[in-house]
Amino acid sequence: MSEQAQQSGSDAGIRSPERTDTAVSDQRLLRGARARRTIARHAVNVASLEGLNGLSIGRLATDLGLSKSGIQTLFGTKENLQLAAVESAGEQFTEAVVHPVQAVPHGAARLRALIERWISYVETPVFAGGCFWGANLPDFDSRPGKVRNALSRHHQDWLALIAGELQHAIDTGEIADLDIDLVAFQIDAVLTAANTAVRLGDNDAVNKVRRVVDGFLTPRH
C-alpha cells in the first residue's frame, strides 16, 4: 500500500477533535430546535384555550414531561415563550389557510378559497381552542409590548392578504369598485364573530360568512 493510501486510510479512521466537537454541537442544536418546535406548538394549543397569559414554563413542563430548567434554557422568559407561540401559530395558520390556495387564480376565486380554508380552520380546529388570534388579540390589544406587536403584525398581514385579493378582483373587472380597506375590515370582523359562533355551536355561522363575502364579490355590470 502506498504511503498516500495509508495516510488516507488513517485520516478516514480518525476524526479530529474539532470535527467531533462540531458534530456534537450540531446534534445539540438540532435537538434544541426540535424541542423548541414541540414546546411552541403545545404552547399554541394551551394559549388558544386559556390565552397567552395562561402559559407558564411549569405548566408546559408538566404537560410534556420535560424539566422546567430545560424549557427555561430554551426560552429564557415567559415573554419569549409567548413570542414563540405566536410565531408557531402564524406558521400553522399559513400552512392550513394560505399555502393550500396558492394555485388558485388571484382575485375573487382566491378570496373565496381563502375563506373556505379559514372555515375548515375553525370547523376542524387547527388549535384546540379554535382561532388562536381570536383568543389572544383582545387580551393584548391594550398591552403595549413585543407580544402585542407580534399579534398585530399577523393581523395586519391577514387584512392585507384579503385586501390584495379584493384589489386584484377590482383591477381585473371581476367585481364592482368598493372601499377595499373597509371591506377587508368587515370580512375580518365577520370571521371573528363566526369563530365565536362556531365555538358556541352555531352550525349556520359559516354559511353566513359565505353570504357576507359573496355580497362583496358582486360582478361588475
Side-chain angles (χ1 to χ4, degrees), residues 94-108:
T94 299
E95 288 172 9
V97 178
V98 181
H99 282 169
V101 308
Q102 294 305 295
V104 179
H106 283 292

Side-chain angles (χ1 to χ4, degrees), residues 14-26:
I14 300 175
R15 285 189 176 183
S16 70
E18 292 82 0
R19 271 191 265 177
T20 301
D21 290 346
T22 299
V24 170
S25 178
D26 288 347

Side-chain angles (χ1 to χ4, degrees), residues 86 133 136-137 140-141 145-159:
V86 174
W133 318 102
N136 287 285
L137 274 166
F140 279 84
D141 57 6
K146 292 180 181 179
V147 177
R148 178 182 181 275
N149 292 344
L151 289 166
S152 178
R153 278 194 299 273
H154 173 85
H155 186 229
Q156 293 304 314
D157 287 346
W158 175 239
L159 287 172

